[in-house]
Amino acid sequence: MPINLDVTAHEHARHLRAGEYTARALAEATMDRLEAQEPHLNAYVRLTREDALTQAAAADARLASGDAAPLTGIPIAIKDLLSTKGVPTTASSQMLEHFVPIVDCTVVARLREAGSVFVGKANLDEFAMGSSTEHSAFGPTRNPWDLERVPGGSSGGSAATVAARGVPLATGTDTGGSIRQPASLTGILGLKPTYGRVSRFGVIAFASSLEQVGPFARDAEDIANFLAAIAGHDPCDSTTSPLPVPDYTEGLGRGLEGLRVGVPDALFAEGLEDGVREAVEAAIEVFAANGASVTRGIELPTATAALPVYYLIAPSEASANLARYDGVKYGHSNHDGPTATLEMARTRDEGFGDEVKRRIMIGTYALSAGYYDAYYLKAQKVRTLIRREFAAAFERYDVVLTPTAPGVAFRLGEKTADPLAMYLNDLFTIPANIAGIPAMSIPCGFAQGLPVGLQLMARPFAEGTLIRAADAYGALTDWHLQAPSALEGVS
Ligand code: GLN
């Protein structure tokens, strides 16, 4: 049977189990397509054909023995922020250009155990700082809907390759929106799990109190299987929850009946681009017309402060996490002398890009004596208020809906000279990181011919509710089935 690379992971899994094609044939066809797309997209820092074929051969043995898991033989892209044993892991930074981890991060180890096939390391904004993937030391990734536009960020490579039907699944990380915003800008699904649901062990750290690893996919069932494979307690990450991992497929096919939905209209009253509001309004209408009880105008007044809170807390944590890149232990190192201090300064000057330096400077300032109380401490207090507001909202609503991003994919270079304009792209995604709650972006229409995302948020550990709602919405609409055409004719 000829292999259709445009299908979802669960459809591939069915064909693999039925013996209609092998994991090896799927891996070869996938690598051929990725290699053909790469000159146009630059979605990867590195493709790993040889490793993929070896993993695929092992997956075939497992399929033959009858103990296949849902992800066995499925091609997956790994964001290059996740440590992969023996395969360079760069964080898209000159600092780590030649860094080869000696262990897998827990998420990668679990995906390996599940028998999935790693096709390569996906491009990102350097150290996951950015919203466009233009801050990569290895060149920007392009959006398959329009190659002159960005795919969002920081997990832009992961999102672009899934949207371009290069792979059905990819990992991302989300500190302030880096899974949901690129999912929105490329017309796919992306889930940020509850803080503590997925291990961060072996993930190169940016802002440890905010980030989570999560899945990109093209339907809700794939999100469910992917999350189940990576979620759960990890003795190597003490911030992971001991709560058991539920069956995320349970909500599939259950519809929207009885779902209590709240819409904080004031949060997105202003600043939406043309067409985004219309798409989101139409999506809310679909919820209301199909059994959900929708309440408009719910109040989350402090959520508007989430963006400034984030841009104090995240750089503060980044300045501490990135202090380890001193040229002594690993990573780029300057040996020009004459003093250790100068070598360290030069190492950091040469190794880090401008955005990373900007974050380190903001964070160091916010944490310094005399400013700590006014900035960092105050931000932490407002964070507590935001968490409480969301907790109160989730006593009355199962899901809170907003747009994922204020606009559609922007042009390459459009926002690089204006950091504030770039930061504003995360206005709606950041509150979920501040509150630690799960949130998802699902495709809900088009504006100016480009995809628009709807954001769904839920109470802690209610990923199952998000998956149920995404599945139901996907059954009622076909936005998630629309494929980009900019790469038509390429492979
Ligand atoms: N765009 C946000 C930032 O630059 C979020 C990044 C992320 O989620 N990793 O900080």
Side-chain angles (χ1 to χ4, degrees):
M1 165 175 172
I3 301 180
N4 178 3
L5 290 178
D6 296 354
V7 304
T8 60
H10 60 87
E11 286 171 284
H12 277 311
R14 194 157 43 78
H15 295 306
L16 288 169
R17 275 196 294 269
E20 286 160 17
Y21 45 80
T22 63
R24 186 171 169 105
L26 174 57
E28 268 173 0
T30 299
M31 296 313 302
D32 288 348
R33 176 176 280 187
L34 294 177
E35 282 164 13
Q37 291 182 338
E38 234 351 55
H40 307 276
L41 280 186
N42 194 35
Y44 292 86
V45 176
R46 165 175 281 100
L47 287 169
T48 52
R49 179 184 275 266
E50 287 313 310
D51 289 349
L53 295 182
T54 307
Q55 283 175 281
D60 279 326
R62 192 160 159 184
L63 283 155
S65 73
D67 79 335
L71 300 187
T72 304
I74 302 300
I76 296 185
I78 305 293
K79 184 177 184 179
D80 207 16
L81 197 69
L82 275 60
S83 296
T84 39
K85 185 178 177 181
V87 176
T89 299
T90 68
S92 285
S93 179
Q94 303 267 317
M95 187 61 91
L96 291 176
E97 190 174 359
H98 305 293
F99 171 60
V100 183
I102 54 169
V103 291
D104 281 330
C105 68
T106 298
V107 165
V108 163
R110 288 187 179 176
L111 291 172
R112 237 188 247 289
E113 268 165 45
S116 59
V117 171
F118 304 152
V119 299
K121 303 300 294 284
N123 199 11
L124 64 147
D125 284 297
E126 184 176 4
F127 284 100
M129 297 173 189
S131 307
S132 69
T133 319
E134 290 167 293
H135 297 311
S136 166
F138 308 116
T141 296
R142 289 163 185 269
N143 190 320
W145 289 91
D146 177 346
L147 298 174
E148 294 310 312
R149 291 177 189 262
V150 304
S154 66
S155 315
S158 299
T161 189
V162 171
R165 274 61 181 164
V167 280
L169 304 175
T171 60
T173 65
D174 190 313
T175 311
S178 279
I179 292 175
R180 290 160 287 155
Q181 184 257 13
S184 172
L185 271 47
T186 58
I188 62 172
L189 289 80
L191 169 71
K192 179 200 89 73
T194 309
Y195 186 76
R197 181 73 294 186
V198 177
S199 172
R200 291 178 296 108
F201 175 73
V203 180
I204 294 173
F206 160 17
S208 308
S209 78
L210 298 160
E211 56 215 10
Q212 279 288 291
V213 180
F216 285 104
R218 293 193 301 265
D219 79 3
E221 183 172 346
D222 274 5
I223 294 278
N225 290 328
F226 196 160
L227 181 62
I230 62 173
H233 181 252
D234 176 11
C236 294
D237 176 357
S238 62
T239 63
T240 51
S241 165
L243 282 179
V245 177
D247 177 1
Y248 293 119
T249 61
E250 219 174 30
L252 300 177
R254 275 191 30 215
L256 296 169
E257 201 61 48
L259 199 71
R260 297 170 303 166
V261 174
V263 184
D265 293 87
L267 199 58
F268 52 93
E270 289 166 45
L272 292 190
E273 271 173 28
D274 284 354
V276 172
R277 181 177 303 282
E278 289 74 2
V280 169
E281 287 293 342
I284 294 169
E285 200 41 53
V286 170
F287 277 79
N290 289 279
S293 63
V294 176
T295 307
R296 298 299 296 249
I298 74 162
E299 296 205 4
L300 289 166
T302 318
T304 47
L307 190 83
V309 164
Y310 174 88
Y311 276 100
L312 288 166
I313 293 175
S316 297
E317 293 184 13
S319 72
N321 272 326
L322 272 57
R324 72 190 66 175
Y325 302 104
D326 54 10
V328 177
K329 296 185 278 293
Y330 53 84
H332 176 71
S333 186
N334 177 298
H335 296 297
D336 293 347
T339 65
T341 310
L342 252 182
E343 285 185 347
M344 210 175 284
R346 288 206 204 100
T347 293
R348 291 167 70 78
D349 185 33
E350 293 160 2
F352 291 138
D354 287 350
E355 183 62 27
V356 174
K357 286 176 184 158
R358 180 175 334 179
R359 305 286 177 112
I360 292 172
M361 285 190 276
I362 295 172
T364 311
Y365 182 82
L367 290 176
S368 57
Y371 296 106
Y372 180 92
D373 287 0
Y375 295 113
Y376 182 75
L377 192 64
K378 196 164 183 184
Q380 291 291 15
K381 287 179 176 168
V382 178
R383 181 178 194 173
T384 301
L385 296 178
I386 294 170
R387 294 180 86 103
R388 286 187 191 150
E389 253 175 43
F390 273 100
F394 287 120
E395 281 172 18
R396 304 168 69 174
Y397 309 105
D398 302 309
V399 172
V400 169
L401 295 183
T402 70
T404 304
V408 294
F410 40 95
R411 289 206 164 70
L412 285 153
E414 196 178 317
K415 297 187 200 278
T416 36
D418 182 354
L420 202 57
M422 191 74 91
Y423 297 172
L424 281 168
N425 237 265
D426 302 317
L427 198 56
F428 308 133
T429 49
I430 278 175
N433 302 79
I434 297 296
I437 57 176
M440 191 167 183
S441 181
I442 62 176
C444 76
F446 290 84
Q448 306 151 52
L450 294 160
V452 176
L454 177 73
Q455 177 175 237
L456 293 67
M457 296 180 269
R459 65 180 68 87
F461 300 100
E463 283 83 357
T465 305
L466 299 179
I467 290 166
R468 171 192 164 193
D471 173 66
Y473 182 78
L476 293 162
T477 57
D478 64 359
W479 305 116
H480 66 297
L481 301 175
Q482 310 295 318
S485 59
L487 290 176
E488 246 165 42
V490 176
S491 90

